[in-house]
Amino acid sequence: MPAVEKTARRTVLTVIAAALLPALCAVPASAAVTKGPPKPSAAESPKSPAPKTSKTAKTARSQIGGARLARTGTQVQLGDGAPVLPKDLSGESWIVADAESGDVLASHDAHRRLAPASTLKMLFADTLLPRFPATETHKVLPSDLAGMGEGSSLVGIKENLTYTVRDLWLGVFLRSGNDAVHVLAAMNHGIPKTVRDMQAHADDLQALDTHVVSPDGYDAPGQVSSAYDLTLFARSGLQKKDFRAYCSTATAQFPGAQKKGKKRETFGIQNTNRLLTGADGVSQYKGIAGVKNGNTTHAGATYTAVAERNGHVLLVTVMKPSSTESQAVYKEAARLLDWGFASEGKVTPVGDLVAPASSAAGSSGSGGAAKSGGAAQDGKGGAQATGKGKGATPAPAAAARQGGSSGVGTALAISAGALLLLAAGAFLVNRRWPLPDLVRRFPRR
């Protein structure tokens, strides 16, 4: 978009925001967001009991990101030449969003509260990564590994052995190791504090569908998130160099046994993100650069992916596909990515990924309204119905979403280093949200 057009658009948004501000401020917080009791999560272990469901949790929807995202069913507004959405989509909830602008290109029950499984580890990492240098070491105590759920995914950490923080994060991202999560949580003064920290960070990101009970995504009563919230976590995390490096690492060597007088043994680990590695009957996706997958008995499969093609970066989240197709969560995510890249400039956004609430306090940019009007497509590939109304963005989101681009961009590179990466490169991230000047240089696949 030409600079003159961008400036004109921001000026219009400034005038609109100034006119709407008194009305927005007059709306009580309880009216801005409808948030009922969270729906209990799915179990991590086949032996865990199925959680009870909450009728209120099924119906109450957040309107963060625009009114259309709170609707049930598929939301999309196709323009001239836009491809129709793939018909073979079975996820209970999914979203396709532009990582740069935050525009939501299409969604299906984006705010539906579901068990997140290990995709919740994105929030865990985004919360704790800045707190410990990668070179810091920690000797694992027996108490560090206490309380892990039966059947937890593990990377193979042993008590009384020493690991670097980098080792632990590789265990989190590649093997989805609950043992690595518990050790990092112990370093953060325990599980209860870590849960509080994660919830506070989710609240700041305006991930209002998320209720954190366990830091690793293991089954816990009331633990839920949504496709919208998981996408917020990924977008926030991807602004951190270490987060990008870890989530794009395909394989690594992990510390093993330590025998007296000998060099410590290591063993190989591989990322469970199959679109990244091209494993288990799933083809590696062209342009893939992360992020995180999860799978539990009651949650089913969950997955958030980021990919780049021709300078365009997309985020896709798919939760709980019902298809019997092998590795359905990855294949449905790939179809949505394909659709998103083919639809560039041909669809009207149906909502947006909001900025953190805290970003409004330190920014002088003008507020902008979320895009939430347009047509809805039924979940079975039916015809689009035209709609012209735009729903108002809730007050917290309107206050946080910032336009403009006067800040100085900071180059954030995915560092190869000693990691074996399938994705590397660099991109600029504007210091202010919603990242209008993100420049992507993920490698081609």
Side-chain angles (χ1 to χ4, degrees), residues 111-173:
H111 283 296
R112 183 170 185 176
R113 293 170 185 144
L114 297 167
S118 288
T119 46
L120 192 65
K121 289 182 172 78
M122 293 188 296
L123 175 62
F124 172 77
D126 193 36
T127 304
L128 263 62
L129 258 172
R131 302 188 180 186
F132 309 108
T135 56
E136 182 176 339
T137 60
H138 177 79
K139 185 175 181 178
V140 176
L141 302 174
S143 58
D144 294 347
L145 300 175
M148 285 189 295
E150 184 180 355
S152 285
S153 54
L154 306 172
V155 68
I157 290 173
K158 303 298 182 184
E159 60 187 52
N160 299 318
L161 292 181
T162 299
Y163 299 84
T164 66
V165 166
R166 175 182 172 274
D167 295 330
L168 297 173
W169 283 120
L170 287 171
V172 171
F173 278 94

